Structures are given as C-alpha cells and as structure tokens.
Amino acid sequence: SPPAGGTIAPPFYNIAAWAQDSEADSFVIPPPPEPLPALPVPEVSPTKAEPSPAASPPRPAAPPAPAAPAPGPAPAASTASAAPRKKEPVKSSPVKRQQDSPGVSIDAVLTDLEGAEQAAFKAAFKSLSSGLEVLPLDHDQLRSFILINSGVTEQDLEVEMLKLASARDDFSIDASALISLLREHPIGDDDVLNLFMSLSTDGESLSSEECRTGLLQVTSRLQETGLSEERMDRVFDRVMTSAGLTVSMEEWLQYAKTTARILRLIAYSRA
C-alpha cells in the first residue's frame, strides 16, 4: 500500500539482464529473432492431360431448299369488255345410243333409210336436250354426238354448226337440223374423192365391180358394225340398185355416202 501523504513510485524494471556492460546505462531494443527456415515445397507431378474424346465426323450439309417459284402475274380484273374465253376443242369420246332411242334392224334400215334415221336421231336429240326443242351451239354433248356419228371433223365442226344455226332466228339447233347434218356428212368428201381417184383408171368413172370394191373400203373407215359378209352384200345391193356397168363420179359420191349413212345408223343403234 502507498505511504500516507506520498506519491506512488513507478515500478522498477531491471534491463541489465539484456544489456551488455557498456549498455547498462542505456535502454536497448533486443535484436529480432532469427527467421525460420523455409519449409520444403512438395514436388507436384505434372498431371497428364486426358485425351479429349474423338470428335464425331461432321454431319453432311443439308441440301439447299428448292427455290420458291416466282409468283405469276396477277390475273387481270374481269371487265365487261374482256375478250370471250376460247372454247376448248370437243373430245370425241364414244357416244352410246340414248336409252329412249328405238333400236333399228338392218331390214328396217334397208327398206326405209330416211324413216329409220328420223326415228333414231330425233329420239337422240330429245335425250340430249332433256326434252327441249332447241340446243345452243356450245352444247358439249351435242357437239360430241356429231363428231362420233358423222364425218365432220373438229376443224369443220364450228363452221357446220354455224350454218345450221343461221337458219333460225334464235341462232340455235333443233332435231331437224341435226338430222340434216348427219345425212349430209356421213363421211368426209375428201376421203371419198381420194378413194375414187385411186380406183378409177381415167379419173372419170369406175366399173361396177370397182365401185363395189371401193364401197368395201368405205366400211373400213367407219365404226365397226359387226355385220356378216352376207349382210354387207345386202347393203351394197341396196345402195347400187340403179348402178349400170360403169359408175360416174357423181354416182360414186352418192353410193359412198348412202353406204356410210346405213353403216353409221346401224353402228349407233347397236352401241
């Protein structure tokens, strides 16, 4: 405890234990300790780099997409003054006998050719027109019927139909006009004339036998009728009833057309 009425004396530290004799009277900072030896660094063996997986072969490039077709020109707006659409040619598909057309026998045809044509083709027109009295020129079934059952070609069809239609005020075709066309053009005129010139020795006439041979060649240019040789002879006898020893070109044209009319009517009635 401190003495009464006095001050506390500072503590006394003896530093002589660290100082040399020459330094006993002065304060000396002790030297720093020796540094520690460095620790050995362990050797690290280099790690082997793992081989990277083999790269997969590159995929073949996808084929280029086809180029989109260039857009066509925009359709022109229809106007009242636009040109009329060109009519496609009529396809000559087979036209069978209409269901309500009466069948005709060869005897009826040889006895009354005009009457048989009138009955068969008038009924055909009625079926084509669904009971109407007239048909327009662009009626597809009517045009196809004419191409099959006559010698009119597609190139001449329009002209021949215009001739028929011009006879009426309403510019249409009725049953009588159809029958008239079928009678007038059962076979092409050029075919008949060329056949005559190939058979005639003088270009003006044929012998009766040559005429019969020519009529047989006419049958080969028409639809198959299925007539036997005996019935075909009956047709030629009927056609050449008025023939003499020689046949003129005008007579030949008449015989050839009559033969074609008979065979076309028989073929139609059997279709």
Side-chain angles (χ1 to χ4, degrees):
S1 64
T7 60
I8 299 175
F12 174 78
Y13 297 94
N14 185 9
I15 62 174
W18 299 296
Q20 297 180 2
D21 294 341
S22 60
E23 299 173 344
D25 297 333
S26 62
F27 180 79
V28 177
I29 297 175
E34 294 293 333
L36 295 176
L39 296 176
V41 179
E43 295 182 0
V44 180
S45 59
T47 58
K48 295 182 179 181
E50 296 183 0
S52 57
S56 58
R59 296 181 179 179
S78 59
T79 60
S81 59
R85 182 173 61 89
K86 183 179 180 181
K87 186 163 185 67
E88 298 293 333
V90 179
K91 296 182 179 180
S92 56
S93 56
V95 178
K96 295 184 178 181
R97 180 172 60 89
Q98 308 303 319
Q99 294 298 327
D100 54 352
S101 298
V104 293
S105 66
I106 185 172
D107 292 331
V109 173
L110 297 181
T111 302
D112 183 9
L113 177 57
E114 287 75 14
E117 288 174 328
Q118 183 77 15
F121 294 141
K122 187 174 182 179
F125 184 89
K126 181 179 179 181
S127 179
L128 290 171
S129 64
S130 300
L132 299 177
E133 294 184 359
V134 296
L135 286 174
L137 272 69
D138 59 353
H139 192 276
D140 290 337
Q141 290 183 333
L142 176 62
R143 297 168 73 93
S144 182
F145 184 89
I146 293 173
L147 289 174
I148 293 299
N149 295 283
S150 75
V152 177
T153 63
E154 289 191 16
Q155 292 76 13
D156 299 331
L157 178 62
E158 197 71 28
V159 175
E160 296 300 330
M161 295 190 73
L162 286 172
K163 290 179 182 178
L164 298 177
S166 61
R168 292 180 57 93
D169 295 336
D170 56 2
F171 208 68
S172 57
I173 296 177
D174 57 12
S176 298
L178 172 63
I179 297 172
S180 175
L181 184 146
L182 298 179
R183 287 173 175 168
E184 183 65 24
H185 302 284
I187 190 171
D189 292 339
D190 291 342
D191 291 340
V192 176
L193 289 174
N194 291 335
L195 186 55
F196 175 85
M197 298 305 296
S198 67
L199 296 172
S200 176
T201 56
D202 58 5
E204 296 181 359
S205 62
L206 295 173
S207 68
S208 179
E209 194 63 30
E210 290 171 336
C211 179
R212 201 175 186 92
T213 301
L215 294 180
L216 185 60
Q217 295 184 32
V218 168
T219 64
S220 64
R221 306 188 182 196
L222 305 175
Q223 299 105 312
E224 179 62 41
T225 59
L227 293 180
S228 63
E229 183 178 352
E230 183 270 332
R231 291 193 171 186
M232 195 65 72
D233 286 337
R234 288 180 59 192
V235 172
F236 297 156
D237 291 341
R238 162 66 176 82
V239 171
M240 298 181 60
T241 301
S242 61
L245 294 178
T246 59
V247 176
S248 65
M249 181 182 293
E250 291 75 14
E251 290 174 324
W252 159 256
L253 292 175
Q254 178 186 349
Y255 295 160
K257 284 190 174 183
T258 302
T259 300
R261 286 170 58 188
I262 293 173
L263 297 182
R264 284 194 181 276
L265 180 57
I266 292 175
Y268 169 71
S269 66
R270 295 186 175 187

